[in-house]
Amino acid sequence: MSLIKQWREMAYSDTANKDDLQKLWADYFECEKGVYIEILKKPDKVIKGTVKELAERFKLDLLTMAGILDGMNESLKKPNELEDLSEESKVGLGIDKEKLYKNMVAAGADWLYNLPEWEAVLDEGKRKELYREQKLASTVIKGERTYPNDPCPCKSGKKYKKCCGRN
């Protein structure tokens, strides 16, 4: 079974003890924070290697490294192929800085998007702009409600209740 499948089965288990899952995620978030601190020190550098090499570099076990790869994959300039991930799979961590920041905001990961390392990567104005963009992108704006006696939006000239609003 691939590392990514093992990670997902462990991290998203319906049968696991709730306390064990909370501990797993708390530990994971601390590891994730450490990885991002290192990446943000040199954000333009693409870190390459096998999953095993990166796990050793960041002092993580293989499944936690697989989880971190899974979590950051859509924030990379070139996403990694994760479905058949093994310890010998070659991966690259070349982040898209703006996309990464917005994805952290979307995930509600304030412990990541508020890291002091971001100050050297994106200026405060840019971070505020990206934050605002991401929050607006996830805001649902409802259109005007059509009432039964309103003209039908299909432009038939009939009342809505006698046209498209008919059950």
Side-chain angles (χ1 to χ4, degrees), residues 55-91:
E56 289 169 358
R57 176 182 180 156
F58 293 114
K59 297 176 179 61
L60 304 172
D61 63 81
L62 288 171
L63 289 181
T64 302
M65 189 70 230
I68 288 174
L69 289 169
D70 192 23
M72 73 168 35
N73 205 42
E74 64 183 52
S75 301
L76 301 176
K77 291 178 183 173
K78 183 181 175 208
N80 294 300
E81 181 56 49
L82 299 179
E83 292 312 310
D84 297 319
L85 197 67
S86 74
E87 64 182 64
E88 297 306 320
S89 298
K90 292 185 186 296
V91 293

Side-chain angles (χ1 to χ4, degrees), residues 2 16 25 37 60 98 103 136 148-149 154:
S2 79
W25 281 106
I37 287 170
L60 304 172
E98 292 183 7
N103 286 339
L136 286 173
N149 287 323
C154 77

Side-chain angles (χ1 to χ4, degrees), residues 4 35-36 39-40 42-49 51 54 58 65-82 85 90-104 118:
I4 207 70
V35 169
Y36 282 118
I39 289 173
L40 291 173
K42 295 182 180 176
D44 295 319
K45 181 181 180 195
V46 178
I47 301 169
K48 292 183 179 182
V51 175
L54 293 182
F58 293 114
M65 189 70 230
I68 288 174
L69 289 169
D70 192 23
M72 73 168 35
N73 205 42
E74 64 183 52
S75 301
L76 301 176
K77 291 178 183 173
K78 183 181 175 208
N80 294 300
E81 181 56 49
L82 299 179
L85 197 67
K90 292 185 186 296
V91 293
L93 305 179
I95 61 167
D96 178 326
K97 295 174 277 203
E98 292 183 7
K99 198 172 188 182
L100 177 62
Y101 190 83
K102 287 171 78 172
N103 286 339
M104 288 175 171
W118 278 110

Side-chain angles (χ1 to χ4, degrees), residues 4 11-12 19 26 31-32 38 53-54 56 67 75 92 113 115 119-120 129 145 151 157 165 167:
I4 207 70
Y12 303 107
D19 292 335
C31 293
E32 181 184 43
E38 287 303 310
E53 291 167 346
L54 293 182
E56 289 169 358
S75 301
Y113 67 77
L115 285 169
E119 293 170 15
E129 175 189 332
R145 185 170 187 272
N167 291 334

